[in-house]
Amino acid sequence: DAKTTQPNSMESNEEEPVHLPCNHSTISGTDYIHWYRQLPSQGPEYVIHGLTSNVNNRMASLAIAEDRKSSTLILHRATLRDAAVYYCILFRDYKLSFGAGTTVTVRA
Amino acid sequence: DAEITQSPRHKITETGRQVTLACHQTWNHNNMFWYRQDLGHGLRLIHYSYGVQDTNKGEVSDGYSVSRSNTEDLPLTLESAASSQTSVYFCASSDNRITDTQYFGPGTRLTVL
């Protein structure tokens, strides 16, 4: 399985940006980088994905390093509803492989 | 609105019984997936399907089976439930295989006593 490394947990204050790092040194040229999040007692929810270029959508931004060995998910203004486990995943062989993710806590 | 549903949401069964968990999606997606999630861990892939009559094993398929007779449904069967299969089960579907944005159901919490 394609392996990613994320910090176990991160804390943020409400209304402040959150930068979630992810290392994926074994990434291959065709692997897409996906981010999902899982709110308490819910199924995972798609956040964003990219291949080489930085990506933006209404939920977040994804910054991908030039060598693609790392990426950063950016939540521009954290809200209490953003408290969740965030998973960085390399999409390989048409499958998602979930790791343990980063638990994000947002302080009011 | 299109959606993906799972039933039952909660199930308690006994060791050795056969159990079937239902997954139904109304997006007309070709791809469907079953995962299990154990306390404090990420999701692990059990089985997946890329279309009607297609099924494939994931990383933790032992003791589970699926069948795909139509586009909308992918039921997951535990042939003989074991306590080790106590878990939360999530179903997902996707349309585009290359980028594979998956949409997840609400989950089924299964307890095997």
Side-chain angles (χ1 to χ4, degrees):
Chain A
D1 285 345
K3 183 172 175 59
T4 62
T5 302
Q6 300 177 251
N8 290 333
S9 62
M10 293 190 71
E11 291 188 354
S12 175
N13 294 318
E14 199 173 12
E15 301 295 317
E16 291 184 354
V18 182
H19 291 244
L20 300 176
C22 180
N23 288 317
H24 28 78
S25 58
T26 61
I27 192 170
S28 70
T30 56
D31 290 343
Y32 279 80
I33 302 160
H34 283 243
W35 285 82
Y36 283 74
R37 71 179 186 181
Q38 187 173 21
L39 279 64
S41 300
Q42 295 189 23
E45 173 188 32
Y46 167 79
V47 177
I48 201 167
H49 76 273
L51 183 62
T52 56
S53 302
N54 294 344
V55 184
N56 299 294
N57 65 21
R58 64 175 181 81
M59 292 182 68
S61 295
L62 177 60
I64 301 173
E66 193 169 337
D67 64 5
R68 302 210 325 127
K69 294 185 183 300
S70 65
S71 61
T72 301
L73 179 71
I74 303 164
L75 308 178
H76 295 286
R77 293 180 64 190
T79 69
L80 297 178
R81 293 192 63 210
D82 290 323
V85 179
Y86 286 77
Y87 297 100
C88 170
I89 303 165
L90 297 184
F91 178 55
R92 178 181 291 181
D93 297 331
Y94 309 115
K95 296 189 290 291
L96 299 173
S97 296
F98 287 80
T102 297
T103 300
V104 172
T105 304
V106 181
R107 295 185 291 258
Chain B
D1 286 344
E3 61 178 357
I4 181 165
T5 58
Q6 295 184 234
S7 62
R9 295 294 311 279
H10 301 271
K11 173 79 175 176
I12 299 174
T13 190
E14 295 178 344
T15 300
R17 291 189 179 269
Q18 183 181 79
V19 177
T20 297
L21 308 182
C23 175
H24 179 81
Q25 53 95 3
T26 59
W27 281 300
N28 202 36
H29 284 167
N30 286 325
N31 310 327
M32 297 186 71
F33 308 82
W34 273 104
Y35 297 86
R36 62 176 287 175
Q37 184 173 35
D38 301 302
L39 191 64
H41 294 277
L43 283 72
R44 291 184 291 172
L45 184 63
I46 305 172
H47 281 285
Y48 57 101
S49 168
Y50 290 139
V52 176
Q53 302 301 330
D54 175 74
T55 61
N56 305 279
K57 295 181 178 180
E59 61 179 307
V60 289
S61 59
D62 287 348
Y64 303 94
S65 63
V66 294
S67 62
R68 187 88 180 272
S69 59
N70 59 53
T71 300
E72 296 79 18
D73 299 288
L74 186 69
L76 177 71
T77 297
L78 287 68
E79 303 293 344
S80 177
S83 58
S84 59
Q85 295 177 307
T86 293
S87 188
V88 180
Y89 291 84
F90 290 100
C91 177
S93 72
S94 71
D95 184 39
N96 184 324
R97 185 184 295 188
I98 297 300
T99 58
D100 204 56
T101 299
Q102 294 187 14
Y103 299 89
F104 285 79
T108 294
R109 182 174 297 276
L110 176 67
T111 302
V112 183
L113 301 176

